[in-house]
Each structure stands twice: as structure tokens, then as C-alpha cells.
Amino acid sequence: MNNWYNIKNTDESAEISIFDEIGDYGTSAKDFVEHISSIGKKDITLRINSVGGSVFDGLAIYNALRSHSGYVQIKIEGLAASISTVIAMAGDSVEMAENGFFMIHNPFGQSAGEATDFRKTADLLDKIKDEIIEIYQRKTKLPYDVLSKMMDEETWLSSQEAQEFGFIDDITEPMRVAAKFDLSKFTNVDERKVKDVLELNNNKKLFKMTEELKTWFNSLKEEIVMAVKGEDATTPSEVSVVLSDNEDVVNKFTELEENAQSLKEEKEELAGLVGEKESTIADLQNKVAEMEAKLNKSEATETVVEAEQEPTITPTEEVVNEWDAFAKSILK
């Protein structure tokens, strides 16, 4: 018999997969809950790729997982839409593939009968919405009005957006999954785009990075940081990675390399300007020293030595004998 879930039970843990519309094939949540009970206290890994399904079955599954005594790990491997997003909130940890989608919307149902019957259905849908918002709030801590508006608008979130809003904890490597769902019942979705992303049909998009590519990217990033700091950067080791089929990645890394080269050139230009400024400063300092020396010289005064009084010259008397005196007198 076809089923919308599958359980693999081992001695230490259990793995459950929900890869279809919940409540299909005549299998209800009652069967699912019974299987959960039979697992005992083992840890559970629940894999989800589901368009949603029965609201009441989904709430029953959520409650069963929340009350499970073992650790519950949720892995969204493709699409988690509608009530399957509520089930995902039961996990102790929630991770999502990079190319996955997370969609929340208002619960909807059908009714028949008189006006009072339709009012009862509307009231019931409002109560279900309030309960679902409360479940989302436990995980995301988002305000009621924000979540209500997101549900009103049928919000489709990428893995990055789901993490930003707090619906998931971690993002894992992209996975190629079957996208056989009928999304025509939803109103705010590009069905072709969703299926292409889930099935990784467009290899030119950034869906997968090898470990070698990640290492090369981190080395390049480190080189850029060191260039900005003005430190010597070692050349990243070359890796053998084929990027010819991934135009977006090639363009992005080309841009990074150009930015790194631009930073290096700016650094060299700045170093040259600093050198010129230092030379100019040295010349100015020498000129200032010369001007100070000249100024000091021009302000200097001659040293004058003054005597206390004018020196007097006292003529010495000549000593003559009597004959010389007599001769002089005759000559006069």
C-alpha cells in the first residue's frame, strides 16, 4: 500500500521520511502516531519534502513529536509547505537544504450547508490559524501580527530567509529532490521556478560548492583581508575545480579577484603618497632649521668693551746733563 511516510527503525535511532501529501492513501496521522510510540525513547531524524496536507493530521503529528522523550532532528530536504512547516517546528533542531523552500499560509477548508455552517467553518479556521501562529512563535519569537501577515500573503521563503526569520537553525548542502507536487492550489508561487530549484535543473545557479572550492574561496577572502590590513599575503594554493558550467560562481570570483587587485593597487598608491609626503616633510624641516639659524644670526649684537676712563699719556721727562742744557740755551 502506498504511504506518505516511511519509518526505518534501528537499535539506536529511528529515521522517518515524509515525502508526500500528509493524510493521502487512506493513511491517517493515527498510524503515524502509533509508530512514534513504538520507537520508545530513541532519537528521531525526520526528513521532510512535502507540500502539506491535512491540517488535523499535521497538528497530531506535531504534538506526538513534541512529546517524544528522545531527541528530534528535522531535515527539510526540499519543500516544507503548509502544515508540514508546523511539523518541522516540533524538532529540537531544524536544518534545511540550501535549495529548499519554506511556505506558510492560512489554513483553508471546504464547507457546505447554510450560512451558519459557513460561519462555523470560518470560526474554526481562525482558531486553527491562531494555534499555528502560536506554534511558529515558540520557534521564531516573531510577533503575532508579523506571522499573521505572512500567512495572509502565502509567503514563500528561501533557506536563507527561513533562517533569518528563525524558522530553521542551519542550512545544509543543496539536494536534488523530486518535485512532483501539484502547486496549482497555491496563489503566490512560480511553480516552474520552484521545481527547477528543487530538482537543480539549472546548473548555472549557485547550488553546490565542493569542499575544494570552499577552501579556495576562504583563501582568497583571507588574501583580501590581509591586503586591506597592509600585510603580506600568501598566494592561495591552486585547486582543480571546473567552473565552466557555473557562470554565477565564475563571475563572482572574478569580481572578487578584481577587487583584491584594486585593493593592492590602492595600497601601493597610498604607500607612494606617504613616501612623497615624508620626503616633503623632511625638506620643510631642513628649511625651517636654516631659517631659524639665519634668524638667530641676525638678532645677534657686537660685543663692546668699554674702559672705565680715557687713558692719559704722561710724557716722560728727558734726562740731560749740564752741557747739553747749555748747548740748547745757546741755540735758542
Side-chain angles (χ1 to χ4, degrees), residues 72-119:
V72 177
Q73 182 182 34
I74 304 294
K75 293 178 176 288
I76 301 173
E77 298 184 347
L79 174 63
S82 191
I83 196 62
S84 65
T85 61
V86 175
I87 294 174
M89 299 298 96
D92 295 299
S93 65
V94 184
E95 61 183 46
M96 183 175 177
E98 182 183 347
N99 62 317
F101 286 97
F102 192 98
M103 188 278 283
I104 64 175
H105 68 156
N106 286 329
F108 55 82
Q110 297 177 339
S111 181
E114 300 177 356
T116 54
D117 297 318
F118 283 94
R119 292 190 186 98

Side-chain angles (χ1 to χ4, degrees), residues 28 31 56 74 81 83 87 90 97 100 139 144 146 159 165 176 184 220 223 235-236 247 268 275 277-278 283 296 298:
S28 68
D31 303 296
F56 296 107
I74 304 294
I83 196 62
I87 294 174
K139 178 69 176 176
Y144 180 96
V146 172
S159 56
F165 279 110
R176 183 173 185 174
S184 61
L220 180 60
E223 183 185 12
T235 303
E247 184 178 351
E268 293 173 357
K277 294 296 183 184
E278 289 177 346
D283 291 342
N296 290 335
S298 64

Side-chain angles (χ1 to χ4, degrees), residues 1 44 99 112 117 149 214 265 299 331:
M1 181 180 67
I44 294 176
N99 62 317
D117 297 318
K149 187 173 185 295
K214 288 182 179 179
E265 293 174 356
E299 292 178 348
L331 294 173

